[in-house]
């Protein structure tokens, strides 16, 4: 049975003390009986290590927002998979639309990052999604299929145990505009079908596919209720314990 996941992407928010305070608030409130649901938070890289310590022994996993494709070397300002692993970070978000749009990360570069993460035994939440322009041209299925094909279809069947996909329509991120539950379901079903076609139904059935883009306490339940939506990648609403907990409880 595939895992349900609710992950908070804090982006470039929260100082050291704010990060620890939020983790403490969450850990006091999250029941240990989350059965099949994983809760994750992604602080900024400088706050990863203390956050890992703060979450130690709880059901919260601390994950990274990005990593470099090389393991070490002359890459000023960058962080590698082996460094993440060495501080107890076992999952990384790759391909977020902000990394693609602001930092020019291409599908080809992301394929290298995927390989680097897997080589370091790091699980990946791989983000895909179309812009509003692409959706208006009715090209969104082609766009998402291409993103998956170019960055993930070189993987072996076994590699897919460490892949989670997050469908995040760019037009819904931080805009307050959410994809309707039906739009999310339609794309998630499409993603599962192309992976089934390329690999096996066992792989596609076991793949967790998260929805991201303006998930809030008041819309999470409806979105999570859809058959192929296995949880969410939450930005803005993960910054406040009350909102994030409400979203976790909607699953
Ligand atoms: P949002 O961000 O929930 O603030 O729209 C989601 C994301 O970027 O992962």
């Amino acid at each position: 049975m595939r895992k349900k996941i609710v992950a908070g992407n804090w982006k470039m928010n929260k100082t050291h003390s704010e990060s620890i305070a939020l983790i403490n608030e969450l850990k006091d409130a999250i029941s240990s009986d989350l059965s099949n649901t994983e809760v994750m938070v992604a602080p900024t890289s400088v706050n990863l290590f203390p956050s890992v310590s703060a979450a130690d022994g709880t059901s919260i996993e601390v994950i990274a927002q990005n990593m470099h494709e090389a393991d070490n070397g002359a890459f000023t300002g960058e962080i590698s998979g082996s460094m993440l692993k060495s501080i107890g970070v076992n999952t990384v978000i790759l391909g977020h639309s902000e990394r693609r749009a602001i930092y020019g990360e291409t599908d080809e570069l992301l394929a290298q990052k995927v390989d680097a993460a897997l080589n370091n035994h790091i699980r990946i939440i791989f983000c895909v999604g179309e812009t509003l322009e692409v959706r208006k041209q009715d090209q969104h299925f082609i766009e998402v299929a291409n993103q998956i094909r170019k960055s993930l279809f070189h993987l072996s069947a076994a590699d897919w145990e460490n892949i989670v996909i997050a469908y995040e329509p760019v037009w819904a991120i931080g805009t307050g505009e959410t994809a309707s539950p039906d739009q999310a379901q339609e794309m998630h079903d499409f993603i599962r079908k192309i992976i089934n076609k390329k690999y096996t139904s066992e792989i596609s059935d076991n793949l967790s596919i998260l929805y991201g883009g303006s998930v809030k306490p008041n819309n999470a339940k409806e979105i999570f209720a859809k058959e192929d939506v296995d949880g969410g990648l939450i930005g803005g609403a993960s910054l406040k314990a009350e909102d994030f907990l409400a979203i976790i409880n909607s699953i």
Side-chain angles (χ1 to χ4, degrees):
M1 194 162 106
R2 52 186 184 253
K3 284 254 172 213
K4 303 263 185 204
I5 297 172
V6 181
N9 176 10
W10 293 357
K11 309 190 180 182
M12 197 176 74
N13 291 294
K14 305 224 172 265
T15 61
H16 170 256
S17 58
E18 289 165 351
S19 303
I20 305 305
L22 181 50
I23 288 175
N24 285 335
E25 263 188 277
L26 294 173
K27 76 181 180 195
D28 289 343
I30 291 174
S31 79
S32 50
D33 180 30
L34 281 170
S35 49
N36 193 36
T37 304
E38 292 186 31
V39 175
M40 305 175 181
V41 295
T44 59
S45 55
V46 74
N47 290 318
L48 278 171
F49 185 53
S51 298
V52 169
S53 306
D56 191 32
T58 73
S59 45
I60 302 167
E61 182 183 349
V62 173
I63 70 172
Q65 297 176 15
N66 179 37
M67 59 171 265
H68 195 267
E69 64 278 16
D71 242 9
N72 49 55
F75 302 104
T76 302
E78 293 290 331
I79 291 160
S80 73
S82 56
M83 291 168 190
L84 293 177
K85 200 71 194 176
S86 73
I87 58 161
V89 172
N90 297 309
T91 303
V92 66
I93 299 169
L94 290 178
H96 190 279
S97 66
E98 286 149 19
R99 299 288 325 167
R100 292 176 189 263
I102 306 171
Y103 301 101
E105 295 195 0
T106 61
D107 298 317
E108 292 72 22
L109 173 73
L110 290 167
Q112 292 176 39
K113 291 193 177 205
V114 164
D115 289 342
L118 293 176
N119 285 338
N120 282 290
H121 307 285
I122 293 176
R123 176 166 60 160
I124 297 155
I125 296 180
F126 192 80
C127 304
V128 296
E130 80 287 356
T131 60
L132 186 57
E133 207 181 3
V134 168
R135 183 165 273 264
K136 278 186 179 156
Q137 292 162 354
D138 207 20
Q139 299 289 306
H140 44 295
F141 292 112
I142 294 172
E143 171 85 354
V144 167
N146 277 335
Q147 290 170 343
I148 292 175
R149 190 170 51 78
K150 290 185 186 165
S151 300
L152 300 176
F153 271 9
H154 63 290
L155 298 180
S156 72
D159 289 335
W160 281 83
E161 277 176 36
N162 289 307
I163 304 289
V164 170
I165 288 185
Y167 170 55
E168 299 207 303
V170 179
W171 47 272
I173 295 178
T175 57
E177 185 160 346
T178 331
S180 70
D182 287 341
Q183 284 173 320
Q185 168 59 27
E186 190 184 28
M187 184 60 86
H188 286 221
D189 173 62
F190 171 77
I191 291 170
R192 213 177 291 288
K193 284 197 174 119
I194 59 172
I195 288 160
N196 181 1
K197 196 162 167 223
K198 168 78 181 171
Y199 293 91
T200 61
S201 59
E202 198 190 337
I203 289 177
S204 63
D205 285 347
N206 286 331
L207 176 72
S208 298
I209 307 178
L210 316 183
Y211 170 79
S214 297
V215 177
K216 306 286 176 209
N218 64 5
N219 60 21
K221 203 168 184 166
E222 251 191 315
I223 298 171
F224 293 165
K226 289 292 174 185
E227 191 184 338
D228 286 290
V229 178
D230 305 310
L233 183 54
I234 322 296
S238 70
L239 297 172
K240 254 181 72 187
E242 193 189 341
D243 290 350
F244 193 50
L245 288 165
I247 292 170
I248 294 166
N249 290 330
S250 315
I251 204 154

